[in-house]
């Protein structure tokens, strides 16, 4: 009996060793700090007092504090906030594995872009515990005979990529999509540039679905009525010489559209409390029909 128990312990230890070194083993993940926004009281002191209560708006009216969130509401709240500094949307990770800046395979949409050429949209993620600079995605398109048909690269439009944060990219080639048998992906990241910042509040506003003929009761003048959304930003104390917006729309986690937009030239982004609207984000074509129903991620970057 003693010998049998000894063999059981040895076999169990061997099994643990095999699985720990195998593909089934879960890589150790390290929690990383999240770039959380200031409190709503700090962001909107004209509306909230130091206790988080709504200030009175009429003479003689008391402040409104409301009830604290219920246990069920707290339990239902996302573990990772969807609104962070310079970021709004799903997909931000609170833990990293240390694997580097990596492709997010489930985010890829690969197809032809109307002329028969190959194209891809997707996300990369900073899976390290330190911020990095601009990430560059490279794709080698390989034919059935193993020959490289084209080599493409594109930079993610995010100036500073923080631990756990995803960033979007878009690639296009004139090589026919039907000729591509394999894609070899690689991602590299630069060191953070001095002055790169993500210290912004993203302000996503109204949107118009593609095909909607009116806005707030008034006829639209932009037939055939593309998808349009209003997005602004507010600096949170860090000046920058330029500010850029990127928006990605996701269908079940896959990126199906990507738009980038610089801040208007007449906006002084070097002002520590700069605030402005970007030009309306506009998308047309077949992909735009369902954008108003999809989740999306917004990035605001300064440098």
């Amino acid at each position: 009996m003693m010998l049998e128990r000894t063999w059981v312990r040895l076999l169990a230890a061997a099994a643990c060793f095999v699985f720990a070194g195998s593909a089934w083993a879960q890589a150790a993940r390290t929690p990383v700090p999240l770039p959380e926004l200031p409190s709503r009281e700090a962001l909107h002191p004209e509306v909230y007092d130091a206790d988080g209560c709504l200030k009175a708006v009429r003479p003689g009216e008391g402040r409104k504090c409301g009830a604290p969130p219920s246990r069920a509401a707290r339990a239902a709240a996302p573990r990772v906030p969807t609104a962070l500094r310079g970021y709004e949307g799903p997909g931000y990770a609170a833990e990293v594995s240390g694997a580097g800046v990596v492709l997010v395979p489930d985010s890829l949409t690969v197809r032809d872009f109307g002329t028969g050429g190959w194209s891809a949209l997707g996300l990369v993620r900073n899976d390290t515990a330190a911020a990095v600079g601009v990430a560059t995605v490279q794709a080698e398109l390989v034919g059935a005979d193993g020959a490289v048909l084209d080599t493409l690269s594109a930079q993610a439009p995010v100036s500073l990529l923080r631990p756990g944060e995803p960033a979007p990219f878009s690639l296009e080639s004139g090589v026919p999509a039907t000729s591509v048998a394999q894609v070899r992906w690689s991602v590299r990241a630069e060191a953070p540039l001095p002055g790169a910042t993500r210290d912004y509040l993203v302000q996503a506003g109204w949107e118009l679905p593609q095909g909607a003929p009116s806005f707030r009761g008034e006829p639209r003048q932009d037939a055939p009525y593309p998808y349009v959304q209003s997005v602004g930003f507010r600096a949170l104390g860090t000046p920058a010489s330029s500010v850029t917006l990127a928006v990605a729309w996701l269908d079940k986690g896959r990126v199906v559209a990507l738009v980038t937009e610089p801040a208007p030239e007449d906006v002084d982004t070097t002002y520590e409390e700069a605030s402005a609207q970007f030009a309306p984000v506009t998308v047309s074509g077949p992909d735009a029909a369902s954008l108003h129903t999809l989740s999306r991620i917004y990035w605001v970057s300064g440098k």
Side-chain angles (χ1 to χ4, degrees):
M1 182 65 72
M2 180 65 70
L3 182 61
E4 181 179 347
R5 284 199 294 267
T6 301
W7 273 108
V8 168
R9 286 196 296 270
L10 288 172
L11 287 170
C16 289
F17 176 78
V18 170
F19 280 99
S22 71
W24 290 288
Q26 185 175 5
R29 301 191 67 82
T30 303
V32 291
L34 296 172
E36 296 192 21
L37 288 166
S39 67
R40 65 180 184 178
E41 298 84 50
L43 285 173
H44 305 288
E46 74 285 0
V47 177
Y48 298 97
D49 63 21
D51 297 322
C53 300
L54 284 169
K55 294 180 178 179
V57 295
R58 298 182 181 87
E61 185 179 53
R63 64 179 188 164
K64 299 177 181 179
C65 293
S70 65
R71 179 179 298 178
R74 291 195 299 270
R79 190 166 67 92
V80 178
T82 55
L84 298 164
R85 290 178 184 260
Y87 185 96
E88 185 172 313
Y92 210 109
E95 298 177 335
V96 297
S97 69
V101 180
V102 297
L103 186 73
V104 181
D106 293 342
S107 72
L108 286 175
T109 298
V110 178
R111 59 190 174 190
D112 68 74
F113 59 89
T115 61
W118 180 95
S119 71
L121 292 165
L123 299 172
V124 295
R125 184 187 306 282
N126 180 4
D127 208 15
T128 75
V132 300
V134 174
T136 299
V137 182
Q138 180 173 296
E140 282 189 345
L141 308 185
V142 182
D145 60 355
V148 176
L149 306 175
D150 199 358
T151 300
L152 313 169
S153 65
Q155 292 185 333
V158 180
S159 64
L160 184 69
L161 195 58
R162 298 158 300 188
E165 183 175 18
F169 68 89
S170 174
L171 292 167
E172 292 184 357
S173 171
V175 171
T178 53
S179 300
V180 179
Q182 178 188 358
V183 182
R184 298 176 186 147
W185 296 95
S186 61
V187 185
R188 68 178 188 276
E190 302 171 2
L193 290 173
T197 179
R198 304 293 308 288
D199 205 12
Y200 299 97
L201 173 66
V202 180
Q203 298 172 315
W206 53 263
E207 68 175 341
L208 290 173
Q210 179 174 268
S214 63
F215 176 52
R216 296 176 179 171
E218 296 294 328
R220 292 174 62 177
Q221 304 300 317
D222 59 348
Y225 313 127
Y227 170 92
V228 184
Q229 184 177 19
S230 168
V231 184
F233 73 93
R234 173 181 163 187
L236 299 176
T238 304
S241 59
S242 64
V243 178
T244 301
L245 166 72
V247 187
W249 288 262
L250 289 79
D251 185 359
K252 298 178 181 177
R254 295 185 305 106
V255 180
V256 296
L258 172 62
V259 172
T260 60
E261 191 71 49
E265 293 182 359
D266 59 350
V267 174
D268 182 8
T269 58
T270 62
Y271 177 48
E272 292 182 355
E273 297 181 358
S275 179
Q277 294 293 117
F278 294 97
V281 174
T282 303
V283 186
S284 58
D287 290 334
S290 62
L291 293 188
H292 65 288
T293 69
L294 302 181
S295 62
R296 65 211 68 170
I297 304 176
Y298 306 87
W299 295 262
V300 175
S301 305
K303 60 181 180 179

